[in-house]
Amino acid sequence: MRGIKEQDLTLDTPGQGAVLVVEPLLPQRIRRPSDALRFLLTLLSLAAVVLLALALQRTLNGLETDVQAGTGRAPEVLSAASGLLGGVAVLVVPVAFAVERVFHRDGMRVTQGLIAAILALLISYAIDEWLILSGPAELKQLLTGGRDVEPLNTVLTPAIAYATAVRMSRRPQWRALMWMALGLDVFALFTATKVTALGVILTYLVGLAVGFGTLYGIGSANTRPPGSAVLAALRRLGFVPVSARRVEDDSSGSRRYLVGLADDRRLAVTVLDRDRQVAGIVYRLWRRFRLNTETRRRAIRSLRAELEREALMAYAAQAAGARLPRLLGTSEVGTEAALLAYEHVETRPVGELRDDEIDDRLLGQMWEQVRLLHAHRLAHRHLTGETIHVDADHRVFLGDARSGEIASGDLLLRLDIAQLLTYLGTRVGPARAVSSAEAVLGADTLAGALPLLQLIALSRETRAAVRRDKDLLPSIREQIVALRPQVAVEEVRLERFRPRTLVTIIASALAAYLLLSQLTRINLVSVVTSANWAWGGVALVAAALSYVAAAVMLRGFVPEPLPLGRTVLAQFAGSFVKLVAPAAVGGVAINTRYLQKRGVPPGAAVASVGASQVVGLASHIVLLLLFGYLTGTQAAPSLTPSRGLLVVLLCVAVVFLIVLAVRPLRRLLTTRVRAMFSGVIPRLLDVVQSPRKIAEAVGGTLLLTITFVACLTACVHAFGGQVSISAVAVAFLAGNAIGSAAPTPGGLGAVELSLSVGLTVAGLPGTVATSAVLLFRLMTFWLPVLPGWASFTYLQRQNAL
């Protein structure tokens, strides 16, 4: 501990004599996480209200009409009185509150409120000017109703920001007066048609946001009780402290004190501060949203609930015979904090031990403590190097009772075992971690934890260590399976969804929005009636031939014989799977499964499909460059590449250099490339030995591209469009690449948008390009769904998938 300075001493002067509390003086102002959380939630509410208003314009206009009609019936005397009282009260109440605070020498709070009011005035004025001069017409109409009114009221916004920044909500009488003043003023504004319903809502939210932002930016008065108040609370519990010093905070940021008593005992005191209850709330909310019900924890608990939870777990663990520091008492410290007084045990965390200090005896003690907890259905839920301690006699103690659960289900108990297994695996290796656990808990108990050895189930610190050692979890699983090779363990799904799923949902929503915005520009009935269905028939034939081409291509990369008919059906089945999987995933999974059912070994099946993907990608790039070159030179007598092609190549080179320069991206690229080429080269060598297979592979690859380009060209001609085949090929190849990379099912939205843009750039009118793309997607994506489903069902019944 650093040297003691005069400013590090807090003097406690009770009746029994003065006690010096060695602690840094608490800061006069702190930034409360709760203010930051409220600020973010207010901004989210603001954005949600604006989006909802734009989506429900008619409903909001009807509501506005009803409100105006209702307030318009108010007697003129009442309107005039409310206007006068409200306008005066909105100014008088804040001033009166400021005077009252100044008399109580709380001028800093008034200053903070004035800063918030000034900021709110400037912000609301800037928003008003922007909306009136250049804002979206729909939003301007909703906020002004087409009248000469302020979108955001520049009187109410500062008043709300002021009331928020001075925390008037904590003073019931003043809060009631302020709400009354605001209500009267809003009523008067409605009767005078000087405000709209949406304007009032946004005024209130902007005022709140500015108030909370000011509170967090400037900070609030620190209401945390000092060490002297902690000692006073201990005296009420019957203890007689003679010394006290603050030690390092615990892992959750709670203050801790080491207190010496008159009877030579020492207490380890943990102080729970109310303003720390929402610390880390974003992470906890994310975990609560992502994990299943039984594994998640409450994101926010009150101070009283947190105190009771930790105390109950500590008493239950003591009753179970587990070795935790003994809880001697609890108490509130004023209204803003509470304390838990533990018997002090001189220990050090296992995380500070060297790896060679963790012997088998110590490992056995750790697992014995876990066994005692689990025998009484107690789950610790945070078994890490920071919460497991060792004293001078090498006895193991458990800490951090706050994270525990009583009356736990089997899942939480198994999670404890998985967490400790993984942590010890990072310290002493998988073999010793598993063998030490098996000696205490038994092989069957370890087998029960096997399906919970997942990254998401681990604590934050352990997850970071596992990410650095990718082979750790597989090694632990192998060690457990070696103990019980034939044990059947049901798979456990801890996550409600994976982050990739969330990205897919967001991308799908964005794609749907873009697609709908395209559809609103054209008349679908006119698309159907105006199309030349002779060209539509050509497009349908070309789309059907694409499945034959895909089957021929797959046959070319598989040395084993494949029947053409069933292989074509497998490609149709892949079109059905694209409804629920990204374009680059569904076909690969179906083809791999089909090859395995045909007797091709799993490794060879994956290699064959991978080889077809690699060659297809290479041909895709070559054809894109070739057709791009031809497109650029059609109008020029020289063979100089087009400027657009050079720009595209330059952009691709820049992106490639960025990927190579950023280490995580480079690692991701090399991992993907290694996985793609793993086993591909040997498979290609097998194919090269057969001229017939070479012809099928090359011919099928080229034919697949030709059929798609022919289908899109026919769709363009079906609506009277005239554009070169090379330009159509460039648009298709670029759009197909974007669709394969998009996470949406079948590249939905991304393909339509990219193809429409590509054809428009090639010279087609926008409506013709959109109509042609919709017809193309109808032929290649939507129509094959029904035969794809039939093929999928048939192949499953025939045990071919």
Side-chain angles (χ1 to χ4, degrees):
M1 184 177 177
R2 58 188 179 86
I4 300 173
K5 301 178 182 178
E6 184 178 354
Q7 62 266 29
D8 293 329
L9 302 178
T10 302
L11 185 62
D12 173 54
T13 56
Q16 292 91 335
V19 177
L20 294 178
V21 183
V22 183
E23 68 172 347
L25 292 179
L26 296 177
Q28 292 185 348
R29 307 191 69 78
I30 57 174
R31 289 189 173 92
R32 300 177 186 271
S34 56
D35 292 331
L37 178 63
R38 292 187 179 99
F39 174 69
L40 293 176
L41 290 177
T42 307
L43 290 183
L44 290 176
S45 301
L46 191 62
V49 167
V50 171
L51 293 176
L52 193 62
L54 292 175
L56 303 174
Q57 294 184 36
R58 292 185 178 179
T59 303
L60 192 60
N61 287 331
L63 175 65
E64 178 69 25
T65 302
D66 293 340
V67 172
Q68 293 293 346
T71 55
R73 296 192 182 98
E76 293 186 6
V77 176
L78 179 61
S79 301
S82 62
L84 178 61
L85 291 176
V88 172
V90 164
L91 299 176
V92 170
V93 172
V95 172
F97 184 85
V99 171
E100 190 259 349
R101 285 293 89 197
V102 169
F103 273 115
H104 285 82
R105 297 184 179 181
D106 196 6
M108 185 61 193
R109 181 180 298 197
V110 177
T111 303
Q112 190 166 268
L114 289 175
I115 292 174
I118 293 171
L119 287 176
L121 177 63
L122 294 176
I123 291 173
S124 60
Y125 180 77
I127 293 176
D128 285 350
E129 289 298 309
W130 170 72
L131 283 171
I132 292 172
L133 297 177
S134 59
E138 298 88 351
L139 187 59
K140 178 181 176 182
Q141 175 65 26
L142 290 172
L143 287 171
T144 62
R147 304 186 299 273
D148 185 19
V149 301
E150 293 179 319
L152 299 182
N153 191 281
T154 51
V155 174
L156 293 179
T157 309
I160 295 168
Y162 175 89
T164 304
V166 298
R167 297 193 186 276
M168 199 178 289
S169 60
R170 297 187 177 182
R171 305 285 299 279
Q173 294 84 358
W174 287 103
R175 181 180 63 211
L177 287 174
M178 193 65 193
W179 274 110
M180 188 180 300
L182 291 174
L184 287 172
D185 199 33
V186 169
F187 179 78
L189 289 172
F190 269 120
T191 57
T193 65
K194 291 297 184 181
V195 74
T196 62
L198 181 62
V200 170
I201 296 172
L202 294 189
T203 294
Y204 177 71
L205 291 176
V206 169
L208 280 183
V210 174
F212 288 132
T214 305
L215 275 175
Y216 187 74
I218 298 178
S220 305
N222 190 355
T223 57
R224 296 176 183 174
S228 56
V230 173
L231 294 188
L234 289 175
R235 287 193 183 89
R236 290 195 298 270
L237 291 173
F239 300 109
V240 183
V242 295
S243 65
R245 63 184 175 91
R246 185 172 169 181
V247 295
E248 185 180 0
D249 295 348
D250 64 15
S251 57
S252 60
S254 298
R255 289 183 288 158
R256 295 192 303 167
Y257 292 86
L258 184 60
V259 179
L261 302 179
D263 55 4
D264 294 332
R265 289 185 302 162
R266 289 195 292 177
L267 300 178
V269 179
T270 299
V271 179
L272 307 179
D273 291 302
R274 188 181 298 278
D275 61 80
R276 294 291 307 170
Q277 295 306 108
V278 296
I281 182 63
V282 175
Y283 175 75
R284 295 201 299 271
L285 283 173
W286 168 246
R287 295 277 291 185
R288 184 170 176 81
F289 179 60
R290 183 179 176 187
L291 296 181
N292 286 327
T293 305
E294 190 174 349
T295 59
R296 59 186 184 173
R297 309 178 190 179
R298 288 181 61 90
I300 303 177
R301 283 191 178 89
S302 66
L303 181 65
R304 165 65 65 176
E306 198 72 15
L307 176 68
E308 293 175 349
R309 174 192 178 90
E310 182 170 351
L312 183 59
M313 182 62 188
Y315 288 135
Q318 291 173 20
R323 199 178 291 129
L324 276 77
R326 192 158 59 98
L327 181 61
L328 302 177
T330 62
S331 174
E332 289 187 343
V333 186
T335 60
E336 297 296 323
L339 66 82
L340 299 103
Y342 290 92
E343 181 181 39
H344 176 67
V345 182
E346 194 66 43
T347 61
R348 56 176 177 157
V350 170
E352 296 181 2
L353 299 180
R354 300 190 312 271
D355 291 347
D356 56 10
E357 292 183 84
I358 306 177
D359 54 22
D360 292 339
R361 176 174 171 271
L362 205 59
L363 293 173
Q365 286 191 65
M366 295 181 196
W367 288 113
E368 179 61 23
Q369 296 302 309
V370 172
R371 187 191 67 79
L372 291 171
L373 289 178
H374 288 187
H376 289 74
R377 313 302 295 178
L378 303 176
H380 189 280
R381 304 205 65 181
H382 196 207
L383 293 168
T384 66
E386 296 301 316
T387 61
I388 305 174
H389 288 239
V390 179
D391 67 0
D393 298 327
H394 269 238
R395 294 183 303 169
V396 171
F397 285 79
L398 300 180
D400 194 13
R402 194 179 316 162
S403 61
E405 297 274 0
I406 65 169
S408 301
D410 288 338
L411 182 59
L412 293 182
L413 303 183
R414 292 155 65 192
L415 281 170
D416 265 359
I417 297 173
Q419 163 62 35
L420 186 55
L421 270 176
T422 308
Y423 171 71
L424 293 179
T426 64
R427 300 296 307 275
V428 300
R432 287 185 62 196
V434 173
S435 62
S436 62
E438 191 269 338
V440 177
L441 303 179
D444 291 336
T445 303
L446 288 188
L450 184 62
L452 295 172
L453 288 168
Q454 307 173 29
L455 201 62
I456 189 64
L458 307 176
S459 68
R460 231 178 195 175
E461 306 88 344
T462 310
R463 284 203 304 271
V466 171
R467 288 192 178 99
R468 294 191 292 268
D469 186 0
K470 302 291 186 181
D471 298 327
L472 179 62
L473 288 181
S475 299
I476 295 176
R477 294 189 190 102
E478 291 174 3
Q479 294 289 332
I480 297 176
V481 171
L483 295 174
R484 285 289 184 271
Q486 300 175 353
V487 67
V489 182
E490 184 180 355
E491 184 178 356
V492 177
R493 176 73 180 272
L494 296 178
E495 295 175 285
R496 288 180 171 182
F497 61 88
R498 293 183 172 86
R500 185 179 299 177
T501 305
L502 188 61
V503 172
T504 301
I505 293 173
I506 295 174
S508 300
L510 180 61
Y513 173 79
L514 295 173
L515 183 59
L516 289 174
S517 64
Q518 287 180 317
L519 293 177
T520 55
R521 301 175 185 175
I522 61 175
N523 189 339
L524 292 179
V525 176
S526 66
V527 169
V528 176
T529 56
S530 63
N532 185 334
W533 284 103
W535 282 108
V538 175
L540 183 61
V541 172
L545 287 176
S546 67
Y547 291 93
V548 178
V552 172
M553 181 182 72
L554 181 63
R555 280 163 50 101
F557 289 99
V558 181
E560 294 81 1
L562 295 176
L564 181 61
R566 284 203 172 184
T567 308
V568 172
L569 291 180
Q571 308 315 303
F572 272 106
S575 68
F576 171 66
V577 175
K578 286 180 183 178
L579 279 176
V580 293
V585 176
V588 172
I590 286 291
N591 285 329
T592 303
R593 181 68 174 170
Y594 170 69
L595 293 181
Q596 292 180 16
K597 286 293 186 177
R598 292 295 306 176
V600 180
V606 173
S608 296
V609 177
S612 67
Q613 294 292 311
V614 170
V615 173
L617 176 63
S619 66
H620 203 99
I621 295 173
V622 171
L623 290 174
L624 180 60
L625 295 177
L626 174 62
F627 284 114
Y629 182 85
L630 294 176
T631 302
T633 58
Q634 281 179 350
S638 68
L639 295 180
T640 304
S642 68
R643 182 178 299 175
L645 179 62
L646 291 177
V647 171
V648 171
L649 292 177
L650 182 60
C651 292
V652 171
V654 170
V655 171
F656 188 70
L657 289 175
I658 291 175
V659 170
L660 293 181
V662 180
R663 187 175 179 180
L665 295 177
R666 183 173 67 248
R667 187 185 299 114
L668 177 63
L669 178 64
T670 54
T671 302
R672 293 291 178 88
V673 171
R674 190 180 297 115
M676 183 181 294
F677 281 93
S678 178
V680 167
I681 300 300
R683 202 64 170 166
L684 287 176
L685 293 177
D686 293 339
V687 171
V688 169
Q689 297 176 8
S690 171
R692 185 172 65 85
K693 291 294 181 183
I694 295 176
E696 285 184 331
V698 175
T701 302
L702 294 176
L703 183 61
L704 184 62
T705 302
I706 290 171
T707 54
F708 277 123
V709 172
C711 181
L712 183 56
T713 303
C715 292
V716 170
H717 285 290
F719 294 96
Q722 297 294 328
V723 67
S724 65
I725 294 179
S726 59
V728 174
V730 170
F732 165 73
L733 292 168
N736 190 54
I738 293 172
S740 299
T744 56
L748 191 64
V751 172
E752 287 83 358
L753 182 63
S754 57
L755 289 178
S756 299
V757 171
L759 292 177
T760 304
V761 171
L764 282 179
T767 55
V768 174
T770 303
S771 300
V773 169
L774 291 177
L775 182 60
F776 173 76
R777 290 291 277 173
L778 176 67
M779 299 294 183
T780 59
F781 183 75
W782 294 109
L783 284 183
V785 169
L786 187 58
W789 171 79
S791 301
F792 186 85
T793 305
Y794 172 78
L795 292 175
Q796 279 193 324
R797 289 177 179 175
Q798 298 296 320
N799 198 28
L801 270 185

